[in-house]
């Protein structure tokens, strides 16, 4: 890639697979369980986290030499909380419908361990451009898992994708339902998200033996 | 030598400045966006009320489409003939009645037993038919649920709109889906002369909702507590309006 040096593109690509925040670092699990019952919510959560983490990492990185180390965690919290509130307010003013569907999820971004983790582990020690790439990469890695989990949960749990009835209509008994297929309501509950994530971790480690711990 | 940023005085000054900057930034944004946000909330209420009385943009069978925001004010004025505020025995007309905060009224009434709740009621007219749209508010599984139920003078439900703050997506959150809300249409809330409300019933022998006089609609699977919340909300809040609508009927 001409735009990014090899080292820089590694910052973006690594968290997508071999250093994925959810499946390898096991961060951000709570929100991955809570909001993946529908694909749409997963996608919007992924986009919001990309925005917040990308901007947040840059802000922290710009301030990294003036932040007093004794209160750095508090500073990080204040910055992420402020960003999240801004996103929330802007959505409420300009995309009211969307913000209504997401109200709880937007607030949940603050509690996402990936954000504080990247601030602490990366942005405090790197320049803004690299921090930005790292933020985007990690948030995208998180978002990727969210979308995969959301896809399977909505498809198998509700028989829809983004609200479209892709498997036919369960009430009218059309499509797959006409041959006796049933939605699995269990997929809509959080435990199934954990199991789906477990399966993803299994697949990933089976394909790449380097990831298996001794 | 210690780093400059490790000094206590630096830490304290940094914290103060940070709080001031972030605080005023957020306050500024909130203040700047407030008019836009309140307007959105106002439109939403009007859209909800209109939806309950069957004025909407639904195209397909699964749609829940409101009147578009740019037209809602106009439709609201067209279809809503009267906005009443019932307080004890007095009934006044108030064009801002739809902005009354039910939650606030409820807590005022709870604190002070003598306080008479202000009850907003909307009288709408569509295709020559008069209906009373009753706002309500209750508790779901995780958080508040609320809605509007439109009844005609014989207490037959003409339409409903339900919404929630944080019910489980895919389960309780489905109270705002068409297949749940549409079931209420045509239901009778009175059993003879007695107000019964509408029961969101599990194990209902009438899942396709053929019987409209049984005060029952079929519950959502996996959403027992949200469903019970809807039942309780209708029972509790609609009961407040029944005497008034009955009085109107006897006067005619």
């Amino acid at each position: 890639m001409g735009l990014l040096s090899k080292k820089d593109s590694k910052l973006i690509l690594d968290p997508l697979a071999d250093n994925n925040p959810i499946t390898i670092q096991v961060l951000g699990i709570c929100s991955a369980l809570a909001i993946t019952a529908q694909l749409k919510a997963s996608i919007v959560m992924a986009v919001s986290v990309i925005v917040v983490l990308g901007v947040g990492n840059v802000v922290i990185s710009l301030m990294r030499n003036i932040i007093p180390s004794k209160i750095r965690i508090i500073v990080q919290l204040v910055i992420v909380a402020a960003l999240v509130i801004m996103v929330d307010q802007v959505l409420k003013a300009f995309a009211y419908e969307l913000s209504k569907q997401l109200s709880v999820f937007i607030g949940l971004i603050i509690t996402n361990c990936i954000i504080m983790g990247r601030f602490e582990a990366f942005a405090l020690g790197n320049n803004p451009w690299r921090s930005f790439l790292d933020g985007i990469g990690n948030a995208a890695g998180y978002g990727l898992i969210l979308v995969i989990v959301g896809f399977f949960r909505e498809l198998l749990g509700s028989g829809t994708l983004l609200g479209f009835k892709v498997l036919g209509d369960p009430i009218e008994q059309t499509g797959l339902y006409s041959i006796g297929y049933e939605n699995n309501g269990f997929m809509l509950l959080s435990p199934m998200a954990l199991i789906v994530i477990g399966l993803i971790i299994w697949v990933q480690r089976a394909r790449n033996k380097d990831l298996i711990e001794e | 030598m210690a780093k400059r940023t490790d000094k206590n005085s630096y830490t304290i000054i940094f914290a103060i400045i940070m709080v001031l900057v972030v605080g005023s930034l957020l306050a500024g944004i909130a203040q700047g966006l407030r008019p836009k946000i309140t307007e959105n909330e106002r439109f939403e209420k009007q859209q909800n009320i209109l939806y309950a009385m069957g004025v909407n943009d639904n195209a397909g069978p699964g749609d829940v489409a409101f009147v578009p925001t740019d037209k809602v004010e106009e439709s609201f004025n067209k279809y809503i003939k009267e906005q009443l505020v019932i307080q004890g025995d007095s009934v006044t007309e108030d064009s801002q009645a739809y902005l009354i905060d039910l939650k606030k009224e409820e807590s005022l009434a709870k604190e002070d037993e003598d306080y008479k709740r202000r009850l907003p009621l909307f009288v709408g007219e569509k295709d020559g038919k008069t209906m009373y749209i009753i706002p309500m508010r209750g508790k779901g599984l995780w958080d508040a649920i609320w809605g509007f139920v439109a009844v005609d003078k014989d207490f037959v439900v003409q339409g409903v709109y339900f919404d929630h703050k944080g019910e489980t997506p895919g389960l309780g959150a489905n109270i705002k889906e068409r297949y749940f809300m549409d079931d209420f249409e045509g239901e009778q809330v009175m059993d003879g002369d007695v107000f019964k409300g509408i029961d969101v019933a599990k194990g209902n022998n009438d899942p396709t909702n053929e019987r409209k006089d049984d005060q029952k609609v079929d519950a959502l699977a996996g959403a027992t507590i949200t469903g019970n919340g809807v039942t309780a909300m209708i029972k509790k809040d609609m009961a407040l309006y029944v005497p008034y609508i009955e009085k109107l009927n006897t006067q005619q």
Side-chain angles (χ1 to χ4, degrees):
Chain A
M1 249 198 303
L3 189 62
L4 301 172
S5 70
K6 209 167 175 192
K7 240 168 94 189
D8 283 349
S9 59
K10 207 167 134 57
L11 282 177
I12 286 216
L13 296 178
D14 249 15
L16 286 181
D18 289 349
N19 198 14
N20 189 289
I22 294 187
T23 59
I24 307 296
Q25 301 171 29
V26 200
L27 289 174
I29 292 285
C30 0
S31 53
L33 302 192
I35 62 144
T36 48
Q38 277 166 338
L39 185 54
K40 191 174 172 193
S42 312
I43 292 174
V44 179
M45 182 68 167
V47 173
S48 319
V49 170
I50 290 176
V51 172
V52 171
L53 190 50
V55 176
N57 251 3
V58 171
V59 173
I60 291 282
S61 170
L62 285 171
M63 293 171 63
R64 69 187 186 280
N65 292 326
I66 60 165
I67 295 177
S69 57
K70 282 180 207 158
I71 57 165
R72 64 180 195 286
I73 301 284
I74 298 174
V75 174
Q76 291 163 12
L77 253 180
V78 168
I79 288 173
V80 63
L83 280 173
V84 167
I85 293 171
M86 278 185 224
V87 170
D88 189 37
Q89 294 278 317
V90 169
L91 279 180
K92 267 199 188 125
F94 298 106
Y96 191 71
E97 278 295 296
L98 197 68
S99 91
K100 267 189 49 122
Q101 288 166 3
L102 295 170
S103 53
V104 196
F105 307 144
I106 297 286
L108 270 177
I109 296 177
I110 301 178
T111 63
N112 194 321
C113 342
I114 295 173
I115 294 188
M116 296 285 285
R118 289 333 288 173
F119 284 0
E120 178 75 9
F122 199 91
L124 274 177
N126 287 281
N127 68 38
W129 172 240
R130 282 172 57 81
S131 302
F132 177 69
L133 295 178
D134 177 79
I136 300 284
N138 273 282
Y142 164 82
L144 183 70
I145 301 297
L146 238 59
V147 170
I148 295 175
V149 177
F151 176 85
F152 285 110
R153 283 182 74 190
E154 188 177 344
L155 183 67
L156 301 177
S158 311
T160 58
L161 280 178
L162 293 173
F164 294 107
K165 296 195 171 74
V166 286
L167 299 182
D169 194 315
I171 298 165
E172 309 273 323
Q173 296 283 326
T174 58
L176 261 186
Y177 298 99
S178 59
I179 53 170
Y181 174 80
E182 291 276 348
N183 285 329
N184 183 353
F186 193 34
M187 289 301 286
L188 295 175
L189 304 177
S190 302
M192 267 325 273
L194 197 60
I195 292 173
V196 173
I197 291 175
L199 290 173
I200 296 174
I201 294 178
W202 176 33
V203 170
Q204 195 179 14
R205 295 192 185 205
R207 287 168 55 100
N208 186 349
K209 300 269 186 249
D210 295 343
L211 297 175
I212 302 171
E213 291 102 3
E214 289 301 318
Chain B
M1 202 181 87
K3 266 180 18 197
R4 179 177 57 100
T5 54
D6 282 343
K7 273 202 207 140
N8 281 344
S9 54
Y10 179 83
T11 306
I12 291 169
I13 292 170
F14 183 92
I16 292 172
I17 294 178
M18 175 183 72
V19 170
L20 286 178
V21 169
V22 172
S24 43
L25 192 68
L26 288 181
I29 289 185
Q31 203 58 38
L33 295 177
R34 159 109 1 118
K36 194 112 179 89
I37 294 174
T38 3
E39 195 178 68
N40 283 336
E41 285 168 356
R42 200 164 61 86
F43 285 152
E44 189 202 1
K45 278 203 164 159
Q46 295 186 337
Q47 285 172 328
N48 291 172
I49 293 171
L50 288 173
Y51 188 93
M53 63 179 287
V55 180
N56 52 46
D57 266 16
N58 288 348
D63 283 9
V64 180
F66 298 121
V67 180
T69 344
D70 50 335
K71 291 199 196 109
V72 65
E73 193 108 58
E74 193 189 318
S75 311
F76 192 73
N77 291 333
K78 184 175 152 205
Y79 287 103
I80 301 294
K81 298 296 175 201
E82 270 183 300
Q83 294 189 55
L84 304 174
V85 180
I86 308 170
Q87 191 169 22
D89 291 330
S90 79
V91 180
T92 45
E93 230 187 301
D94 181 356
S95 62
Q96 302 292 311
Y98 70 101
L99 294 176
I100 288 177
D101 188 347
L102 295 185
K103 189 180 170 191
K104 220 159 139 191
E105 293 295 319
E106 221 165 277
S107 58
L108 278 175
K110 207 183 264 172
E111 278 167 25
D112 177 5
E113 296 209 338
D114 294 333
Y115 181 79
K116 296 251 187 301
R117 267 180 73 173
R118 291 193 298 158
L119 302 169
L121 176 70
F122 315 104
V123 185
E125 197 179 299
K126 191 191 164 211
D127 304 330
K129 191 162 190 181
T130 305
M131 37 187 128
Y132 303 96
I133 299 127
I134 299 170
M136 44 190 64
R137 191 182 165 89
K139 299 186 184 80
L141 171 59
W142 303 115
D143 213 317
I145 53 175
W146 59 90
F148 296 92
V149 175
V151 294
D152 67 3
K153 62 179 176 39
D154 302 318
F155 294 102
V156 175
V157 176
Q158 303 295 308
V160 298
Y161 180 76
F162 295 124
D163 205 346
H164 62 94
K165 192 163 171 203
E167 298 307 294
T168 323
L171 300 172
N174 288 353
I175 57 168
K176 57 186 292 193
E177 291 291 327
R178 273 289 284 287
Y179 59 82
F180 181 68
M181 297 196 293
D182 285 1
D183 266 6
F184 287 80
E185 261 168 56
E187 285 284 336
Q188 169 64 258
V189 298
M190 307 290 276
D191 185 10
D193 285 338
V194 189
F195 172 71
K196 277 276 181 65
I198 298 174
D199 217 357
V200 178
K202 284 197 294 184
N204 186 358
N205 280 335
D206 179 25
T208 49
N209 203 28
E210 303 296 331
R211 290 174 49 202
K212 296 292 190 188
D213 53 358
D214 58 353
Q215 284 91 36
K216 272 183 192 160
V217 294
D218 203 30
L220 295 165
T224 307
I225 296 179
T226 311
N228 291 348
V230 172
T231 309
M233 170 171 85
I234 295 176
K235 248 183 208 133
K236 177 174 66 75
D237 279 5
M238 200 188 258
L240 299 169
Y241 292 87
V242 170
Y244 176 74
I245 299 176
E246 273 177 337
K247 206 167 89 190
L248 280 186
N249 285 338
T250 52
Q251 276 168 5
Q252 280 161 8

